[in-house]
Amino acid sequence: MLLRTQMTHAPPREETAHAPRILVAEDDDAMRTMLVRTLSRAGYTVVEVEDGFELGDYVAMMQGHGGTLAPPDLIVSDVRMPGRTGLEALGRLRAQGITCPVLLLSAFADEETHAEALRLGARRLLDKPVDMDELKAAVRDAVAHA
């Protein structure tokens, strides 16, 4: 399982003792790199996984669910990925009682996908190509209300 953590050099935000930890699940290498770089530069600690298989593995290994990995403060996930879609992962998270906010990204989101994402408890579904300023605002909002 690919599991990389991008540590930030920015000081932690005042309202928390640590930089919020964001799990990014994206199968497109270039998009994942851009998301990780953008969020890291914004002062977050970012853990990245490259597909739905690894996202499922991460969730299975989280603390409180028999594992040792720290739960993230926020998950940013693509909807369409090999192994498990972002919607399937979100459903599994909620079924396990994991309540951290989730932002979903999709290049193929129709009204039905948006409705399903909200029904499952996604904080937002952002359409690709994602405007990085819109993403940072959505992340700030989700972390602030977590």
Side-chain angles (χ1 to χ4, degrees), residues 47-122:
V47 177
E48 58 183 291
V49 297
E50 63 183 31
D51 58 30
F53 292 112
E54 290 184 1
L55 178 57
D57 290 346
Y58 190 97
V59 169
M61 294 187 301
M62 282 185 359
Q63 292 172 354
H65 298 280
T68 59
L69 293 176
D73 296 301
L74 172 69
I75 296 172
V76 176
S77 177
D78 190 9
V79 170
R80 287 190 181 180
M81 294 183 292
R84 178 174 286 130
T85 70
L87 292 171
E88 291 168 338
L90 177 57
R92 184 173 175 195
L93 285 167
R94 298 307 186 235
Q96 292 178 348
I98 299 168
T99 60
C100 72
V102 175
L103 298 177
L104 294 173
L105 312 174
S106 180
F108 308 101
D110 54 16
E111 285 186 37
E112 186 177 313
T113 304
H114 278 268
E116 181 68 2
L118 295 177
R119 187 188 69 74
L120 290 170

Side-chain angles (χ1 to χ4, degrees), residues 4 6 9-11 27 31 33 39 48 53 65 70 72-73 77 94 98 106 109 116 119 124 130-131 139 146:
R4 290 179 286 201
Q6 184 78 23
H9 297 291
D27 62 314
M31 177 60 111
T33 297
L39 294 171
E48 58 183 291
F53 292 112
H65 298 280
D73 296 301
S77 177
R94 298 307 186 235
I98 299 168
S106 180
E116 181 68 2
R119 187 188 69 74
R124 282 193 59 194
V130 177
D131 176 274
V139 167

Side-chain angles (χ1 to χ4, degrees), residues 26-35:
E26 170 62 61
D27 62 314
D28 179 271
D29 292 339
M31 177 60 111
R32 188 175 62 252
T33 297
M34 185 170 53
L35 292 169

